[in-house]
Amino acid sequence: MKKISKLLSVTLAASLLVTGCAANGNKSKGGGGAKGANSSPDYRLTNVSFPLKEKVTLKIVTSSGLTSPKDPNDKLIFKRLEEATNLHINWINFTHDQFGEKKNLLLASGDLPDAFFNGGFSDYDLLKYAKDGVIIPVEELVEKYMPNLKAIYDKHPEYKAFATAPDGHMYSFPWIEELGSGKERIQSISDMAFINIEWLNKLGLEMPTTIEEFEKVLIAFRDQDPNGNGKKDEIPLSFIVNNGNEGPQYLFGAFGLGDNWDHTVVTNDKKVVYTRADEGYKEAMKWMYSLNQKGLIDPEAFTQDWATFVAKGKDNRFGVYFTWDKDNVTGNNDKYELMPPLKGPNGEANLARCNGFGLDRSRAVITSANQNLELTARWFDKMYEPLQSAQNNWGTYGDPNQQNIFELVDGKLKHLPLGDTAPGELRDKTSVGGPLAILDEYYGNQVTKPDDAARRLERIKKLVPYMKSDYVYPRVFLTNEESDEYTKLEALIAPYTDRKTVEWMSKGGVEKEWNDYLAELDKMGLKKFMEIKQNAFDKFYSNNK
Ligand code: CA
């Protein structure tokens, strides 16, 4: 602690030396010329409408990917925005990897910009910086100057509730990306099982539907040389242990509640349950170990990183593996197909829904140094226009200098085929992120769905019948007191259960150790941990009736 505060005070002093003078000048005279991140002078603008009669400048901190231009104004999206608004943004841009650290230094210096775009404020940060007077509540700005965002909140009260802190204020502008809803939401299942359909066909096997059939298929993959090279180089089953998208938890639902990346499921009587303390988890561990004993699991499944996993995937060495979208591992081809969830010992198949959402609470915040609140709010509101949101999220059209994500046809954005280009990379280079909303009702009207998302949504639809639970665990907003306790407990529980999961699947022992494990979790405070979750869940539902 001492070391950190010393470092901070040195940095603080240095930054005051450099920028102190300019900051003072800025505040007293409203003059420009400041080189720091300090805010803009009061332009005394009211009843703002775009384009502005005279160009003015706001200073905003943002972050972007390594392949993005250093100056965000070199992006076509921002060039067009400046033309349309006559508002110039003086960006202070950090790369994503450095943003956290640079942002903290900047906030500690007290040398505040007008706003943060792609702010990366956690719930905890929002409450802390609001309390310290660094950022301001925005609910009145939404009401008065942000008709686009207000309309979204009016039509979808769940998003208004989502954006509201436990103290009743809103401190940020959200990112909302709808792709499917309810059980068909694109985040409904993160790790899907993909099976090598060429191997199944070659060996004359059917798609497995039970855990017994599944095991027989894996054994055939192991022994019958389905890739036909005369070597025993097939990997029947691979995954990355303790990983949300590439983990094997998709299989565990055969034994009861199943499991997901945050090990939290909600039963149909609204009880929040920790999956890793459920009896079904023990059975799943036992079964996984029996597969491992038979040499059916990739020995690297317990250690490998993404690069190793993908290298084997690209070589088509997997019989069955797990990931978010097979395009990223074995390519956009017909070699692998979704494998439906398996029926377990009681003859039933179940799939635990994942608690993922296309939601980010804080994609922008306004600082207390901002003297042009109406102007800033109206500019942020433009981001919530459907065509603007779609471009900010994915990329733009009509750029003569590089590949485009869209073409603009009759005032609608149409996704272009990307060929061999990785969608993530092109999006990162040309989109701007920030606060925005893409609602299901826009698809087919203002914008088309990305092809990869459309394919994933088709797979999700096939999985819906297996999702027994009516509820997911929502994106709750904890108070900082709750959050402190939650973080402390999680730091004990997560590494312990991660470690036992690896041990039990790779070396066995779950039956012998299960009761001691439950006792250990009890000692660590699992009960309190789940109480915090349950209370937040109950509050969320009573606020969202
Ligand atoms: Ca072979």
Side-chain angles (χ1 to χ4, degrees), residues 187-206:
Q187 298 89 357
S188 218
I189 297 298
S190 50
D191 62 318
M192 291 184 187
F194 292 102
I195 188 162
N196 193 319
I197 208 78
E198 288 186 336
W199 291 2
L200 273 186
N201 290 338
K202 182 147 185 222
L203 302 178
L205 297 165
E206 300 277 316

Side-chain angles (χ1 to χ4, degrees), residues 44-81:
R44 299 176 191 282
L45 296 177
T46 49
N47 299 318
V48 173
S49 69
F50 296 122
L52 301 170
K53 282 197 193 94
E54 274 177 62
K55 186 171 279 198
V56 295
T57 298
L58 287 177
K59 288 173 190 163
I60 303 184
V61 173
T62 190
S63 71
S64 42
L66 289 165
T67 56
S68 288
K70 277 206 180 72
D71 182 356
N73 284 328
D74 289 341
K75 286 182 173 173
L76 186 54
I77 292 176
F78 282 141
K79 279 186 188 157
R80 288 198 182 117
L81 253 179

Side-chain angles (χ1 to χ4, degrees), residues 127-429:
L127 293 176
K128 175 184 179 303
Y129 288 118
K131 198 173 152 210
D132 293 350
V134 173
I135 61 169
I136 60 162
V138 296
E139 64 272 11
E140 275 181 31
L141 299 177
V142 174
E143 200 63 34
K144 276 157 79 178
Y145 308 126
M146 302 185 72
N148 293 320
L149 182 55
K150 185 176 163 5
I152 292 166
Y153 285 162
D154 287 348
K155 198 166 173 203
H156 301 271
E158 71 274 21
Y159 294 138
K160 189 174 183 182
F162 166 73
T164 305
D167 65 6
H169 288 295
M170 294 179 188
Y171 294 110
S172 57
F173 304 117
W175 172 81
I176 300 164
E177 184 197 71
E178 287 186 347
L179 278 162
S181 58
K183 290 184 179 181
E184 293 187 5
R185 203 181 50 242
I186 199 161
Q187 298 89 357
S188 218
I189 297 298
S190 50
D191 62 318
M192 291 184 187
F194 292 102
I195 188 162
N196 193 319
I197 208 78
E198 288 186 336
W199 291 2
L200 273 186
N201 290 338
K202 182 147 185 222
L203 302 178
L205 297 165
E206 300 277 316
M207 178 72 81
T209 62
T210 66
I211 53 170
E212 291 81 14
E213 288 171 11
F214 180 67
E215 194 175 320
K216 276 185 196 143
V217 165
L218 295 185
I219 289 170
F221 286 168
R222 182 191 67 188
D223 296 339
Q224 297 182 29
D225 190 27
N227 69 0
N229 66 353
K231 290 185 219 159
K232 266 200 162 189
D233 56 349
E234 290 82 0
I235 300 169
L237 179 65
S238 190
F239 53 83
I240 303 177
V241 78
N242 294 328
N243 185 294
N245 290 343
E246 280 73 40
Q249 52 275 9
Y250 180 92
L251 299 173
F252 300 175
F255 301 92
L257 291 174
D259 188 27
N260 52 23
W261 59 269
D262 61 351
H263 318 297
T264 304
V265 295
V266 182
T267 63
N268 283 348
D269 48 2
K270 293 191 184 176
K271 190 166 178 283
V272 183
V273 181
Y274 186 65
T275 54
R276 284 177 155 180
D278 184 71
E279 200 66 18
Y281 199 72
K282 182 173 85 175
E283 296 307 312
M285 293 293 104
K286 247 163 54 183
W287 179 64
M288 290 298 287
Y289 177 59
S290 78
L291 298 182
N292 195 41
Q293 273 182 310
K294 291 168 191 148
L296 300 173
I297 295 179
D298 186 350
E300 290 184 314
F302 304 101
T303 52
Q304 66 191 336
D305 61 10
W306 170 252
T308 313
F309 183 70
V310 170
K312 287 183 284 190
K314 286 216 173 5
D315 284 346
N316 294 322
R317 291 184 58 202
F318 297 150
V320 177
Y321 73 95
F322 307 85
T323 195
W324 175 266
D325 184 342
K326 71 187 172 78
D327 290 15
N328 298 320
V329 181
T330 49
N332 178 16
N333 54 51
D334 298 329
K335 293 175 181 169
Y336 287 79
E337 255 182 36
L338 176 70
M339 182 186 86
L342 304 167
K343 286 183 196 128
N346 64 359
E348 285 189 38
N350 172 41
L351 198 51
R353 294 170 66 185
C354 293
N355 306 311
F357 310 91
L359 293 172
D360 179 351
R361 196 128 40 207
S362 82
R363 276 300 180 89
V365 297
I366 297 179
T367 75
S368 55
N370 188 311
Q371 299 176 70
N372 299 282
L373 294 179
E374 180 183 343
L375 174 68
T376 308
R378 288 204 188 273
W379 186 76
F380 277 134
D381 196 49
K382 274 194 84 61
M383 309 306 150
Y384 291 98
E385 291 171 1
L387 292 187
Q388 192 66 48
S389 280
Q391 292 176 70
N392 290 10
N393 200 41
W394 286 307
T396 192
Y397 64 91
D399 191 334
N401 299 317
Q402 62 189 339
Q403 195 177 348
N404 286 287
I405 288 276
F406 292 115
E407 58 181 336
L408 188 67
V409 186
D410 302 331
K412 296 176 188 178
L413 291 168
K414 192 168 163 251
H415 274 92
L416 288 165
L418 293 181
D420 291 335
T421 309
E425 216 167 277
L426 185 60
R427 282 171 196 157
D428 192 48
K429 203 157 67 176

